[in-house]
């Protein structure tokens, strides 16, 4: 079915888009700072995606996409980098509104240190696996920046949001990798999977959403 990927994206977008106009959160009023943040992040990740597709890191099954390709990527893959961040930032804002307590405020530094060490050690021990190494080092460097250089006050809030985002992430990526719409080159991943999802995708997604939220928060501060 050539519309599988499109249907998954529509499912991902539907609820956040519908609830964006809800009177309490009024997420639509934040779109003027959110959309530029998504555009910047999407540009970087699409370049990354084009590169990895070109070198055979992953492949797209033509049976499950509509057939419109731009620079070797199906149009659905381009849309993925706009729709997924939109939905995740919606979750981030909903949690900020309803969960007043900063749940991970005290644990944030410990979480960062553990993640950084885990990512760097794993990347070092598996330096020949390109997806693993590139993703893990990129995320580790970004976490170092947030925790120790910028000392981002929203990092703990991001950790809570990402914990919640993991649930829809597992559903969406589980569909993409089990159908499969996307197939990975096992030579360049750890081949540790959650169901059919390579473990690297968890950290790839985390990096993507953290980048969007970082730019989004920057634009929000500039507006103030």
């Amino acid at each position: 079915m050539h519309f599988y990927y499109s249907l998954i994206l529509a499912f991902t977008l539907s609820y956040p888009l519908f609830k964006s106009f809800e009177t309490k959160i009024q997420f639509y009023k934040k779109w003027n700072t959110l959309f530029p943040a998504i555009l910047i992040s999407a540009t970087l990740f699409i370049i990354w995606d084009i590169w990895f597709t070109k070198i055979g890191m992953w492949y797209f099954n033509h049976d499950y996409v509509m057939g419109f390709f731009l620079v070797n990527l199906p149009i659905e893959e381009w849309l993925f980098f706009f729709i997924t961040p939109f939905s995740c930032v919606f979750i981030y804002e909903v949690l900020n509104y309803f969960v007043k307590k900063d749940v991970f405020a005290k644990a944030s530094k410990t979480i960062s240190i553990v993640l950084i060490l885990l990512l760097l050690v794993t990347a070092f021990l598996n330096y020949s696996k390109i997806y693993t190494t590139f993703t893990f080092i990129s995320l580790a460097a970004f976490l170092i920046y947030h925790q120790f250089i910028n000392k981002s006050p929203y990092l703990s809030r991001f950790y809570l949001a990402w914990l919640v985002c993991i649930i829809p992430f597992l559903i969406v990526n589980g569909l993409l990798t089990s159908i499969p719409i996307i197939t990975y080159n096992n030579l360049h991943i750890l081949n540790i999977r959650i169901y059919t999802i390579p473990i690297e995708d968890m950290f790839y997604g985390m990096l993507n959403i953290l980048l969007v939220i970082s730019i989004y928060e920057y634009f929000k501060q500039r507006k103030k």
Side-chain angles (χ1 to χ4, degrees):
M1 183 176 177
H2 294 294
F3 296 101
Y4 271 155
Y5 201 167
S6 300
L7 289 173
I8 291 168
L9 292 176
F11 166 76
T12 304
L13 180 63
S14 57
Y15 185 79
L17 182 60
F18 174 72
K19 296 297 287 185
S20 291
F21 302 95
E22 194 268 341
T23 53
K24 289 183 180 179
I25 302 165
Q26 297 184 334
F27 188 53
Y28 71 95
K29 291 185 176 180
K30 301 177 174 68
W31 287 1
N32 60 339
T33 49
L34 174 61
F35 288 163
I38 290 176
L39 180 61
I40 294 169
S41 175
T43 301
L44 295 174
F45 272 85
I46 286 169
I47 292 170
W48 179 343
D49 209 340
I50 290 169
W51 171 41
F52 271 23
T53 303
K54 184 177 181 179
I55 64 176
M57 197 69 58
W58 47 54
Y59 315 88
F60 296 95
N61 191 329
H62 289 218
D63 292 337
Y64 302 114
V65 297
M66 290 187 292
F68 302 109
F69 282 76
L70 186 59
V71 200
N72 293 324
L73 296 183
I75 193 65
E76 294 93 335
E77 184 72 356
W78 286 72
L79 292 173
F80 175 88
F81 292 106
F82 291 89
I83 291 173
T84 303
F86 178 88
S87 301
C88 288
V89 176
F90 171 78
I91 291 172
Y92 173 76
E93 284 293 355
V94 167
L95 290 170
N96 285 343
Y97 183 86
F98 287 106
V99 183
K100 301 302 181 184
K101 182 179 179 180
D102 191 350
V103 178
F104 290 122
K106 293 182 179 179
S108 180
K109 188 174 183 179
T110 301
I111 294 169
S112 296
I113 291 171
V114 170
L115 276 172
I116 290 164
L117 290 175
L118 177 66
L119 290 164
L120 291 177
V121 169
T122 305
F124 176 76
L125 294 176
N126 298 276
Y127 62 89
S128 63
K129 300 182 184 297
I130 299 174
Y131 186 26
T132 307
T133 303
F134 195 79
T135 303
F136 284 20
I137 290 177
S138 297
L139 179 56
F142 205 35
L143 289 174
I144 289 169
Y145 165 76
H146 276 292
Q147 185 64 61
F148 300 106
I149 299 173
N150 194 53
K151 297 182 179 178
S152 306
Y154 53 82
L155 186 58
S156 54
R157 287 284 185 175
F158 163 75
Y159 284 140
L160 175 62
W162 179 244
L163 188 64
V164 176
C165 284
I166 285 175
I167 298 169
F169 169 85
L170 290 174
I171 296 170
V172 171
N173 268 48
L175 290 170
L176 291 175
T177 55
S178 64
I179 289 175
I181 295 169
I182 302 173
T183 303
Y184 294 80
N185 186 336
N186 289 337
L187 292 175
H188 297 294
I189 61 175
L190 295 172
N191 214 15
I192 299 171
R193 297 176 185 258
I194 303 171
Y195 181 44
T196 54
I197 306 167
I199 193 70
E200 288 86 351
D201 274 8
M202 293 281 291
F203 299 103
Y204 180 84
M206 187 179 189
L207 177 61
N208 184 9
I209 303 309
L210 179 55
L211 178 59
V212 173
I213 288 176
S214 302
I215 303 169
Y216 172 63
E217 288 289 351
Y218 172 75
F219 285 149
K220 280 171 63 178
Q221 290 302 314
R222 284 195 63 180
K223 280 188 68 177
K224 290 180 182 179

